[in-house]
Amino acid sequence: MELSRRDAIAALAAVGIGTGGVALYRSDVFDDGSTDGEATLDDPVDTMIALATVVYPSEVSGIDEFVETYVVGRVEDDETHERRTVQALTHLEGYASDEFGDSFVDLSPDERDAVLRDLGIQSARPNPDGSDVERIRYYLVNELLYALFTSPTGGELVGHENPPGHGGGLDSYQRGPDA
Amino acid sequence: MAVDDSKDRSPSERVDVCVVGAGPAGALTAYSLAERGHDVVILEAGPRFSFEDRLRRMEYSLRPAHDGLEVWEMGGDRDAYASTGPLDYPLNDVRVKGVGGTTLHWLGYVPRYHEKDFEMESRYGIGEDWPISYDDLRPYYAEVEREMGVAGAEDNPFEPPRESPFPMDGFSPSHSDSLLVEACEELDITVHSIPQARNSETYDDRSPCVGYGTCIPVCPSGAKYSADVHVAKAEAEGARVIDRAPVQRLAHDASGERLEAVEYATPDGETHRQEARQVVLACGAIETPRVLLLSESDQYPDGLANSSGAVGRYLMDHPLVMTFGTASEPTRQHHVGFSTSGTHQFYDHEEPTPGSFHIGFLNYAGPSPVAAALSNGDWGDSLVSDVSTEVTGHIGTEALVEQLPREENRVTLDTSQTDDHGNPVPEVHWSVGDHAIETAEAALEVQRDILETMGARVTWSTNPRSPASGSHPMGTTRMGSDPESSVVDARLRTHDLENLTIASSSVFPTGGAMNPTLTIGALSLLAAEHIDEDL
Ligand SMILES: Cc1cc2nc3c(=O)[nH]c(=O)nc-3n(C[C@H](O)[C@H](O)[C@H](O)COP(=O)(O)OP(=O)(O)OC[C@H]3O[C@@H](n4cnc5c(N)ncnc54)[C@H](O)[C@@H]3O)c2cc1C
Ligand code: SF4
């Protein structure tokens, strides 16, 4: 199932962000990532895309453009969200290099999955003000899942073309499954 | 989300009307009076929320990291309360403080009360009669339907008589409804649409419904009516709104027959007095009696306007009972956040008990995709297969049930706890009662019959002895013609104070089983007309 820029825009709309038709570039938005963490990030958007390749199901394609549009739009006017996203990514990156000897983006999909499991993300409570791991759950993993499951294509993965969070009109609720 | 602390919150010079509370009751009264040329100040305990933040609030409502109260910033010392009855009363889940009041969070079903709801004592020998009838309220019902913008179809044979069509076409039934309708046909149950304060088309410059599916607790498009609409209209007619200004007490003159001023606090820690010729208390059915009890004086040692002793008593709600099941086919839930069909067939009963109930078919049974995905823990392919299984095949029905007024169900002051201004918090004592239990049992039986006839497997149903609150507190400053036993008269003015009016479901002598807000709105417009005559 192909995710599109339209899906990303729908997902952004679900968090109150209109993209106003302006193309955003990741370099306009993110700092270089070398904030206060020990590990540095080459590119926060690349790390987020690498994360999405594990968090999103394998049948989904078009992840790069979807994630880039969503993530860049999401933090554009929200410095706190940007700072916290970069902090969470930096923590993820630090763990990947310490325990797996490579940058998160250069790990294989199985290794990326293992990073998440080793960190305990599966049972971590999503908490924007919590521990590093809880923030990874909130700002990275749940952020990506929220974007996916409030977009029409994400909804369709589970048989629902107009999921809550997406203003997809009034036709779909009247239609049967075979229509 | 940003709040403005720097606004001028000092009182206006003595105004015609001071309205306390900016929910639908306060907003409609204020608008109606401002439109007639009166000088109106509205004091609202909560903040003014920005419309632009609604999508962010929707995100909070959909992400499990955020507690439900966070959406409209409820809770904390400001909203402390005690629930001491046999049934928990989850007060902060059933109200919102802010410009718009609880309609920011509500669902928006707006049926009229039936004739019988006004005549319980004469018809059945239980409860009380209202001092007004359906016919008295009928023109105000039509007016408030136009004000709020109600979408509805005239397909309901059980509805009381109406004089004009609904302002907007109704919403078509859902796919899920069609599965239940077949079962209802077999059971001889007539199904019809539900009137909603929700735009099926552009109305009053507000958006039509676009299907965000998050009506409770927030509609980001503004298609669902909320009372900030009439607060804005009141302001356009010259009314002034002071937000974050919780009223602490009402002060009367030496005679004890008239109010002089309304005392309110502001975020800078100051207390102010707003003088007014007329005062309208519209704080909802819990805070309205609380303000009266907090306003005790030498003349009114048991609380203002409380010579009857009825202030705070006879608290009613609509016990909410639900039955859920799973069907063997997809039921396509959560495409919209509201119900589109139901039945009022069981509303007008012959015998006193079981009493009235009405059933709605849910379009949002079971978890939504995003809720299921975010609460699962896992990710990737296994997540998708879990979520697909979790979200399909749910079917559900709800029913609101009639509860009789009982003296022991009441709101008092809990002096062992104080709020952020040092005032005793409300203590709510709520129990169900035999009439409501028997009515709930009857409703549950019909719900089960419908689900089983459609071939669903019933998976869960409410215990009729411990139903949830229907989020409709009522009855705590009851209306009546006898000052010995009621707090307000038929025009909603207190028997004790000639310039104090109460606009709220707190004036309902009995509660019926219909969602109350259209009736609250109709009564508010009726009260405004009388206040206008007094001014
Ligand atoms: C989840 C949910 C779903 C609902 N669905 C429906 C529905 O479908 N249909 C229906 O008819 N009803 C529904 N309701 C109920 C409906 O919201 C209320 O009946 C309605 O909002 C009551 O209007 P009101 O103006 O009397 O009180 P409110 O809307 O509660 O407003 C009262 C206002 O007074 C303010 N206030 C309180 N104390 C003070 C004070 N001391 N000083 C200053 N201001 C004060 C409060 O901050 C608040 O803003 C629902 C409620 C909930 C919670
Ligand atoms: S489904 Fe509910 S939340 Fe969405 S636009 Fe319609 S009324 Fe608003």
Side-chain angles (χ1 to χ4, degrees):
Chain A
M1 213 162 287
E2 169 97 23
L3 280 166
S4 63
R5 195 173 136 76
R6 188 178 77 88
D7 284 304
I9 289 169
L12 281 172
V15 290
I17 294 164
T19 56
V22 181
L24 288 168
Y25 296 99
R26 48 175 91 185
S27 55
D28 295 341
V29 169
F30 277 104
D31 288 341
D32 63 3
S34 57
T35 45
D36 43 5
E38 304 103 52
T40 55
L41 287 167
D42 287 339
D43 186 330
V45 176
D46 281 343
T47 312
M48 205 69 169
I49 291 170
L51 180 63
T53 57
V54 230
V55 167
Y56 287 175
S58 49
E59 64 185 291
V60 165
S61 60
I63 289 178
D64 291 25
E65 193 189 20
F66 176 80
V67 172
E68 175 164 0
T69 309
Y70 179 80
V71 171
V72 170
R74 178 71 157 117
V75 303
E76 188 199 357
D77 290 320
D78 189 341
E79 260 178 55
T80 312
H81 204 91
E82 179 194 338
R83 188 166 26 84
R84 289 175 162 220
T85 303
V86 171
Q87 276 167 0
L89 285 166
T90 307
H91 188 77
L92 182 75
E93 180 62 20
Y95 193 85
S97 359
D98 290 353
E99 304 297 325
F100 288 77
D102 223 335
S103 174
F104 188 78
V105 290
D106 294 326
L107 297 177
S108 70
D110 282 351
E111 288 169 324
R112 291 176 196 161
D113 187 75
V115 169
L116 296 181
R117 288 185 201 282
D118 286 6
L119 274 167
I121 300 297
Q122 243 182 326
S123 55
R125 200 165 67 94
N127 181 357
D129 302 310
S131 65
D132 288 330
V133 168
E134 288 173 339
R135 288 186 190 209
I136 291 178
R137 179 84 227 186
Y138 182 85
Y139 284 104
L140 308 184
V141 175
N142 276 15
E143 184 80 31
L144 286 168
L145 291 175
Y146 184 75
L148 180 66
F149 285 103
T150 54
S151 77
T153 301
E156 269 171 47
L157 288 169
V158 294
H160 195 313
E161 67 278 22
N162 181 22
H166 174 61
L170 290 177
D171 291 335
S172 72
Y173 86 88
Q174 301 173 49
R175 275 197 298 266
D178 306 322
Chain B
M1 280 166 242
V3 287
D4 182 1
D5 265 338
S6 62
K7 267 188 291 199
D8 175 19
R9 292 187 170 83
S10 55
S12 298
E13 232 174 273
R14 187 167 187 255
V15 289
D16 294 332
V17 192
C18 176
V19 175
V20 185
L28 286 159
T29 317
Y31 168 61
S32 173
L33 288 163
E35 198 200 12
R36 292 172 154 99
H38 302 298
D39 200 9
V40 178
V41 163
I42 305 175
L43 299 172
E44 167 51 50
R48 191 194 281 274
F49 298 107
S50 110
F51 189 80
E52 286 65 45
D53 286 342
R54 285 194 182 183
L55 282 156
R56 196 49 65 80
R57 295 185 195 282
M58 175 178 79
E59 182 190 350
Y60 285 179
S61 78
L62 292 171
R63 293 183 69 160
H66 300 275
D67 145 341
L69 297 182
E70 224 179 298
V71 176
W72 294 109
E73 302 167 28
M74 289 297 296
D77 287 347
R78 185 193 69 179
D79 303 325
Y81 70 94
S83 166
T84 53
L87 279 182
D88 179 42
Y89 203 78
L91 181 56
N92 287 336
D93 296 329
V94 307
R95 62 175 179 176
V96 171
K97 289 187 179 174
V99 171
T102 308
T103 51
L104 295 166
H105 184 121
W106 76 329
L107 193 44
Y109 303 148
V110 282
R112 296 181 182 194
Y113 271 37
H114 285 201
E115 287 104 324
K116 65 138 279 253
D117 291 323
F118 300 84
E119 302 163 5
M120 290 296 287
E121 192 178 6
S122 344
R123 283 201 191 198
Y124 306 112
I126 51 177
E128 299 282 325
D129 285 351
W130 292 39
I132 55 175
S133 67
Y134 175 77
D135 279 344
D136 295 327
L137 264 197
R138 199 167 148 180
Y140 301 98
Y141 271 134
E143 192 180 341
V144 74
E145 283 171 351
R146 282 192 300 275
E147 288 297 337
M148 290 181 165
V150 176
E154 289 183 75
D155 62 344
N156 177 355
F158 313 108
E159 224 203 359
R162 343 178 13 95
E163 49 303 296
S164 50
F166 289 98
M168 279 174 277
D169 286 344
F171 288 89
S172 304
S174 65
H175 169 69
S176 171
D177 292 341
S178 68
L179 305 172
L180 294 166
V181 164
E182 276 178 39
C184 286
E185 274 167 10
E186 239 176 89
L187 295 166
D188 276 334
I189 297 173
T190 303
V191 174
H192 49 80
S193 63
I194 297 171
Q196 331 239 353
R198 180 178 343 272
N199 293 353
S200 58
E201 58 200 63
T202 302
Y203 189 85
D204 206 13
D205 290 334
R206 290 187 290 115
S207 164
C209 173
V210 296
Y212 276 110
T214 56
C215 316
I216 290 182
V218 53
C219 170
S221 75
K224 177 187 82 172
Y225 172 79
S226 50
D228 48 312
V229 167
H230 279 91
V231 173
K233 285 179 184 237
E235 287 180 290
E237 298 289 344
R240 179 172 171 228
V241 178
I242 306 180
D243 73 339
R244 304 179 71 206
V247 166
Q248 307 293 295
R249 63 195 313 276
L250 309 177
H252 58 73
D253 65 6
S255 73
E257 284 169 12
R258 286 187 72 82
L259 285 183
E260 256 176 14
V262 177
E263 295 176 10
Y264 65 96
T266 44
D268 56 9
E270 297 292 318
T271 306
H272 304 273
R273 276 168 71 86
Q274 176 62 61
E275 294 183 1
R277 294 163 69 197
Q278 292 281 339
V279 175
V280 178
L281 204 49
C283 301
I286 306 297
E287 293 293 338
T288 293
R290 178 172 176 235
V291 169
L292 294 174
L293 295 174
L294 288 173
S295 305
E296 59 174 17
S297 66
D298 288 346
Q299 267 133 314
Y300 295 103
D302 299 325
L304 197 67
N306 195 19
S307 330
S308 63
V311 168
R313 291 197 183 272
Y314 307 107
L315 169 70
M316 298 167 280
D317 199 311
H318 294 137
L320 172 69
V321 298
M322 309 180 94
T323 302
F324 288 99
T326 47
S328 53
E329 56 195 307
T331 54
R332 293 181 56 81
Q333 301 292 309
H334 288 286
H335 288 249
V336 286
F338 56 94
S339 297
T340 36
S341 300
T343 180
H344 292 175
Q345 180 163 324
F346 307 92
Y347 202 82
D348 289 83
H349 43 104
E350 293 292 321
E351 298 300 319
T353 304
S356 296
F357 64 90
H358 66 100
I359 292 182
F361 300 163
L362 300 183
N363 286 327
Y364 44 88
S368 70
V370 65
L374 294 187
S375 54
N376 182 286
D378 213 346
W379 49 81
D381 291 338
S382 69
L383 174 68
V384 168
S385 82
D386 285 357
V387 172
S388 304
T389 320
E390 241 181 281
V391 300
T392 38
H394 294 277
I395 193 96
T397 60
E398 63 177 356
L400 291 179
V401 165
E402 176 179 270
Q403 178 177 40
L404 295 177
R406 308 170 77 211
E407 214 183 4
E408 68 271 25
N409 281 338
R410 65 188 294 203
V411 179
T412 50
L413 299 177
D414 173 1
T415 47
S416 71
Q417 269 190 80
T418 50
D419 69 7
D420 56 345
H421 289 90
N423 293 316
V425 305
E427 175 174 333
V428 183
H429 181 105
W430 187 50
S431 61
V432 216
D434 294 340
H435 177 81
I437 292 172
E438 227 181 285
T439 309
E441 283 166 348
L444 286 159
E445 199 180 308
V446 177
Q447 291 180 328
R448 178 174 287 270
D449 279 352
I450 296 174
L451 291 198
E452 286 179 349
T453 306
M454 84 155 267
R457 187 170 62 85
V458 171
T459 51
W460 188 87
S461 61
T462 305
N463 176 344
R465 292 176 181 276
S466 52
S469 149
S471 307
H472 303 154
M474 300 168 286
T476 50
T477 63
R478 59 184 2 198
M479 177 189 343
S481 36
D482 182 2
E484 298 283 307
S485 57
S486 60
V487 180
V488 301
D489 59 19
R491 51 160 289 187
L492 273 61
R493 182 168 63 180
T494 58
H495 294 298
D496 292 346
L497 291 120
E498 63 195 41
N499 63 343
L500 174 59
T501 295
I502 295 180
S504 166
S505 52
S506 64
V507 306
F508 293 11
T510 54
M514 289 297 175
N515 316 61
T517 309
L518 194 77
T519 304
I520 296 173
L523 287 169
S524 303
L525 295 176
L526 175 148
E529 220 168 81
H530 288 284
I531 295 170
D532 172 52
E533 282 161 18
D534 290 349
L535 280 165

